[in-house]
Amino acid sequence: MTEQGALAPDFTLVSDAGEPVTLSSLRGRPVVLFFYPKDDTPGCTRQACGIRDAWADFEAAGAEVLGVSILDEASKARFKEKHELPFTLLADPDHTVAEAYGVWVEKKNYGKTYHGIERTTFVIDAEGRVSKVMQRVKPDTHADDVLAALA
């Protein structure tokens, strides 16, 4: 797991708009990098809509918000449009970035074992260092928890 105080691993992923986004190009402002399991599922929708509903506060904090999951950019575009999300969603279909951040983990559900994204948020400062790691975040309080970390 990428630790607090470490330089955030750089990456380039394709956005919901089909454009490449490179983390290091966002230096100079804080970045909220949140990993979520899957587009348009109940928990992930509550998490994303919580950020949407507090968007003015994220803008006031000057934060760039990036949501990452393994589904492709077309799925991201549908999720973003359906819920009117004002921030960028990134596709990590081969889970390379999730692995680099240590959030691609073994999970168990109904007796089945599989790999997937552990819901985790990294608050990255303007210099590119991880200022806060939030593991196993709760979708319903995620936005408030992140805003407190940005303060």
Side-chain angles (χ1 to χ4, degrees):
M1 171 85 51
T2 300
E3 295 181 4
Q4 194 166 307
L7 190 61
D10 198 19
F11 62 81
T12 300
L13 290 175
V14 177
S15 75
D16 51 78
E19 300 291 327
V21 173
T22 301
L23 180 65
S24 60
S25 72
L26 302 173
R27 294 242 171 100
R29 63 189 296 191
V31 174
V32 174
L33 181 65
F34 75 97
F35 290 87
Y36 63 99
K38 192 173 179 185
D39 298 331
D40 217 15
T41 57
C44 296
T45 299
R46 287 193 318 274
Q47 182 179 13
C49 289
I51 294 171
R52 177 201 65 201
D53 295 346
W55 189 244
D57 295 324
F58 282 91
E59 285 186 308
E64 181 78 30
V65 177
L66 304 172
V68 181
S69 79
I70 62 171
L71 297 178
D72 65 21
E73 59 267 18
S75 176
K76 303 277 170 279
R78 287 189 301 272
F79 183 41
K80 182 174 183 166
E81 182 178 353
K82 179 179 180 180
H83 298 287
E84 300 178 354
L85 304 176
F87 51 86
T88 302
L89 299 176
L90 302 174
D92 185 20
D94 59 4
H95 47 82
T96 304
V97 176
E99 287 183 44
Y101 278 80
V103 300
W104 185 252
V105 299
E106 185 175 279
K107 297 174 140 189
K108 292 183 181 182
N109 193 19
Y110 298 111
K112 289 179 139 180
T113 301
Y114 63 98
H115 279 83
I117 288 180
E118 179 178 75
R119 194 182 307 275
T120 307
T121 298
F122 297 87
V123 178
I124 301 166
D125 68 19
E127 287 77 42
R129 296 211 168 270
V130 176
S131 61
K132 181 80 171 172
V133 178
M134 305 165 76
Q135 291 181 268
R136 294 178 215 76
V137 298
K138 294 180 177 21
D140 295 326
T141 62
H142 182 246
D144 289 339
D145 296 340
V146 173
L147 286 167
L150 285 167

